[in-house]
Amino acid sequence: MGRVPCFALLLVLAVAASCLWGAKQASGDSGKDMLDVSKLEMFVDELPDMPRLQGYGVKDDLLLPGNLTVGMYEKFWKFHRYLPPTRVFAYGLSQDSATVPGPTIEAIRGVPTHVTWTNHLPRRHILPWDPTIPTARSSSGGVPTVVHLHGGVQPPHSDGSAIAWFTADFAAVGPAFAGPSLVYFNRQPPGCLWYHDHAMGLTRANLLAGLFGVYIIRSPELERPLGLPYGPTFDRSLVLFDRAFRTDGSIYMNTTGNNPSIHPQWQPEYFGTAIIVNGKAWPFLRVSRRRYRFRIINSSNARFFRLFFSSDSGLRFLHLGSDANYLPRPVHSRKFLLAPSEIADVIIDFSEASASASASAVVLTNDAPYPYPSGDPTDELNGKVMRFVIAPEREDDPSRVPRRLLTLPRPSVHRAAARRYIAMYEYETASGEPTHLYLNGKPFEAPATETPKAGTSEVWEVINLTEDNHPLHIHLASFVVLEQRELVELDEFKACMHKANDAAACKVEEHLKGGRRRRVPRYEQGWKNVFKMRPGVATRILILDHEDNVMMRPLKLVY
């Protein structure tokens, strides 16, 4: 059974992260020099707050469009105080100030942010690569990169297409390259987004190397009346990811693929042994006994996080938003699941901590199997995320949580202009090893078959014919999950689909009759740009106009 964690519909059908491009090839990799991270003491490094860049200008009390130049640099980064420095790729205003994750860009709703992305990366990648999968490559050397603002609704030429890549000094560019300067109009509702590399075939390697960061759109006129926690101390981003390391501190990745006779290096998943938050392994954060807002982003390649505090801590989550959008009302949870590329916007009220917890500390923990949902259980290492050290005395807290948040458009299914079936296929060898994955049985380079008209909405039935949970991401739009239904007589339906590739002809509606309906969690019932597609399930979504090897498809907007 092969697994690739994420899908996406790029302009719109695009997929997250599953290929590698890079450095020296090795004939094999025994892992003998892999670091035993259990020897690293947990909770010794304080949680970093990444640098904040103002994505707008101010003159005479007026807001003006912002102009930033953000580079991609090779440098060394300390993931743990007792780990040797790690060679990484990092975003920043300069090599010295570049960080992993990159700086947080703070934009204002309705005020454009212009970003010129510059590539200062070396001729060779720091991670392995596989020449047998579709990959952005330059005959003159250099690491191809392109930045995608995940969750952003902007013109397609600023979306960061996988084939709009470029290398250092523009020595080579992809076929869709239109220049390094992108404009984000920020016309969408306020919320948390993130930016990351999206170069064809390199997304996984470039993210593993460190190319990602947070982007927040704020709207003072809409958000200040809500009274939520505000300011750099009480409104924090938590970027979660996993990494494995060699004893010299370098990022570890096996150089031999699980199906080497076809793909010598490519592997469908990556799981690290250390859990990293904001660039530090198992950090801690000192907090007061009051409300804090955390924008939690899963930037892992394949790892799901199911986050919770111990039952005796007294702590819970109050969800304000999911992905880039607010929920209509706050929703409580004791535990929630976060897929790769997914974002949870939550309040944690540390004044609710039990006396025993606040006297010492509480640990944010994770129990999501990997691969999710049927993989290995978590252990003492990957089952812990970070520690909160809670001050003993209650602090005055002017913040509040209103009963209602922001009003966004309600889904109107009856106004949908079209209905489409999107099928996720996985192809394997006779021994069950994955070779490639397609959407609707077509590779990325095939002409667009999804051609929605700009300004309309559509209903899509996304049918997961693989054996794994795949987070689906849609570019340049938001969607609402209407329902999830299990397919009955699944093997029969799969056989028909692999032969005919036609859901209607294979009588999908007949296979959905009597199928179990899966409830969408309340904290994910708003507008989304990522949702977890269960295996053997058809997920119906309403899309509103507003990865690799190579599970993504182009979507052509028709005007």
Side-chain angles (χ1 to χ4, degrees), residues 2 138 253 267 281 343 430 484:
S138 165
M253 182 184 297
Q267 297 181 14
I343 302 173
Q484 291 185 291

Side-chain angles (χ1 to χ4, degrees), residues 43-49 81 232-236 238 282-294 315 348 350 357-362 386-393 395:
F43 316 130
V44 296
D45 288 306
E46 190 163 6
L47 178 81
D49 191 11
R81 66 173 58 186
T233 300
F234 306 113
D235 183 353
R236 303 284 297 268
L238 303 179
W282 303 291
F284 72 90
L285 177 65
R286 294 186 176 89
V287 295
S288 302
R289 289 175 53 84
R290 55 155 292 162
R291 297 182 193 91
Y292 285 72
R293 181 177 186 175
F294 294 103
L315 295 178
I348 301 175
F350 292 101
S358 61
S360 54
V362 294
M386 64 176 293
R387 172 182 283 174
F388 294 95
V389 180
I390 307 171
E393 301 298 327
E395 180 178 302

Side-chain angles (χ1 to χ4, degrees), residues 3-7 14-20 130-136 162 199-204 258-259 262-269 425-427 433-439 442-445 470 547-552:
R3 299 177 175 93
V4 172
C6 302
F7 292 53
V15 205
S18 213
C19 69
L20 308 172
D130 193 317
T132 65
I133 61 176
T135 304
M200 174 67 80
L202 306 182
T203 302
R204 185 187 194 189
N258 63 324
N259 199 5
I262 298 175
H263 300 305
Q265 194 282 325
W266 177 76
Q267 297 181 14
E269 289 170 317
Y425 291 92
E426 180 178 68
Y427 302 89
E433 292 294 343
T435 58
H436 59 288
L437 301 100
Y438 282 165
L439 290 169
K442 297 181 182 298
F444 173 77
E445 59 271 17
H470 292 279
E547 121 175 56
D548 303 335
N549 192 16
V550 119
M551 206 168 208
M552 56 185 174

Side-chain angles (χ1 to χ4, degrees), residues 153-301:
V153 180
Q154 60 270 331
H157 61 76
S158 290
D159 183 56
S161 165
I163 54 175
W165 54 268
F166 60 100
T167 61
D169 298 321
F170 312 106
V173 298
F177 178 73
S181 298
L182 307 183
V183 57
Y184 308 119
F185 286 107
N186 304 318
R187 291 173 181 156
Q188 62 199 84
C192 185
L193 299 75
W194 66 300
Y195 60 93
H196 61 79
D197 181 82
H198 201 292
M200 174 67 80
L202 306 182
T203 302
R204 185 187 194 189
N206 286 349
L207 263 69
L208 283 174
L211 292 178
F212 52 91
V214 181
Y215 188 105
I216 297 175
I217 300 176
R218 302 189 187 276
S219 177
E221 69 275 15
L222 294 177
E223 295 181 287
R224 281 178 183 163
L226 299 178
L228 299 168
Y230 183 74
T233 300
F234 306 113
D235 183 353
R236 303 284 297 268
S237 298
L238 303 179
V239 185
L240 281 51
F241 52 103
D242 55 347
R243 295 291 183 273
F245 300 98
R246 299 181 186 273
T247 53
D248 64 359
S250 61
I251 295 171
Y252 174 87
M253 182 184 297
N254 197 312
T255 56
T256 303
N258 63 324
N259 199 5
S261 64
I262 298 175
H263 300 305
Q265 194 282 325
W266 177 76
Q267 297 181 14
E269 289 170 317
Y270 175 93
F271 293 107
T273 50
I275 303 301
I276 316 293
V277 187
N278 288 11
K280 294 295 180 182
W282 303 291
F284 72 90
L285 177 65
R286 294 186 176 89
V287 295
S288 302
R289 289 175 53 84
R290 55 155 292 162
R291 297 182 193 91
Y292 285 72
R293 181 177 186 175
F294 294 103
R295 303 165 193 259
I296 307 175
I297 303 169
N298 183 354
S299 66
S300 301
N301 286 97

Side-chain angles (χ1 to χ4, degrees), residues 258-522:
N258 63 324
N259 199 5
S261 64
I262 298 175
H263 300 305
Q265 194 282 325
W266 177 76
Q267 297 181 14
E269 289 170 317
Y270 175 93
F271 293 107
T273 50
I275 303 301
I276 316 293
V277 187
N278 288 11
K280 294 295 180 182
W282 303 291
F284 72 90
L285 177 65
R286 294 186 176 89
V287 295
S288 302
R289 289 175 53 84
R290 55 155 292 162
R291 297 182 193 91
Y292 285 72
R293 181 177 186 175
F294 294 103
R295 303 165 193 259
I296 307 175
I297 303 169
N298 183 354
S299 66
S300 301
N301 286 97
R303 185 180 296 278
F304 284 63
F305 288 95
R306 190 159 53 197
L307 300 173
F308 63 101
F309 294 102
S310 62
S311 58
D312 61 353
S313 71
L315 295 178
R316 56 183 177 168
F317 307 98
L318 184 59
H319 296 258
L320 304 176
S322 183
D323 295 328
N325 296 300
Y326 275 92
L327 295 166
R329 297 175 183 271
V331 175
H332 279 106
S333 78
R334 293 287 182 183
K335 177 185 289 191
F336 69 94
L337 184 67
L338 200 65
S341 295
E342 204 171 14
I343 302 173
D345 188 348
V346 302
I347 295 282
I348 301 175
D349 188 349
F350 292 101
S351 70
E352 296 180 347
S354 62
S356 59
S358 61
S360 54
V362 294
V363 176
L364 181 64
T365 53
N366 160 52
D367 70 355
Y370 61 102
Y372 186 83
S374 57
D376 296 331
T378 54
D379 55 29
E380 285 298 308
L381 296 174
N382 53 48
K384 293 182 174 65
V385 178
M386 64 176 293
R387 172 182 283 174
F388 294 95
V389 180
I390 307 171
E393 301 298 327
R394 180 185 291 268
E395 180 178 302
D396 179 58
D397 186 357
S399 71
R400 65 185 183 92
V401 180
R403 296 181 62 184
R404 295 193 64 86
L405 297 168
L406 299 184
T407 301
L408 298 177
R410 295 177 63 85
S412 299
V413 178
H414 66 281
R415 294 183 179 178
R419 181 183 181 185
R420 301 179 191 272
Y421 292 107
I422 307 295
M424 299 176 170
Y425 291 92
E426 180 178 68
Y427 302 89
E428 300 176 341
T429 63
S431 62
E433 292 294 343
T435 58
H436 59 288
L437 301 100
Y438 282 165
L439 290 169
N440 281 352
K442 297 181 182 298
F444 173 77
E445 59 271 17
T449 52
E450 284 66 43
T451 55
K453 185 176 180 180
T456 66
S457 60
E458 294 191 353
V459 172
W460 288 8
E461 294 273 5
V462 183
I463 304 167
N464 186 354
L465 299 177
T466 79
E467 297 185 30
D468 302 289
N469 192 312
H470 292 279
L472 175 110
H473 167 50
I474 296 182
H475 289 212
L476 305 183
S478 294
F479 63 88
V480 169
V481 181
L482 302 174
E483 68 171 0
Q484 291 185 291
R485 290 184 292 170
E486 290 185 353
L487 292 151
V488 298
E489 298 180 352
L490 180 60
D491 289 341
E492 176 186 319
F493 179 71
K494 278 186 177 181
C496 180
M497 287 293 288
H498 276 275
K499 183 178 180 180
N501 191 27
D502 187 327
C506 291
K507 300 179 180 180
V508 63
E509 293 302 325
E510 293 296 320
H511 287 275
L512 290 172
K513 286 182 179 179
R516 178 184 174 188
R517 279 178 164 79
R518 295 279 189 169
R519 179 179 173 272
V520 179
R522 290 181 60 220

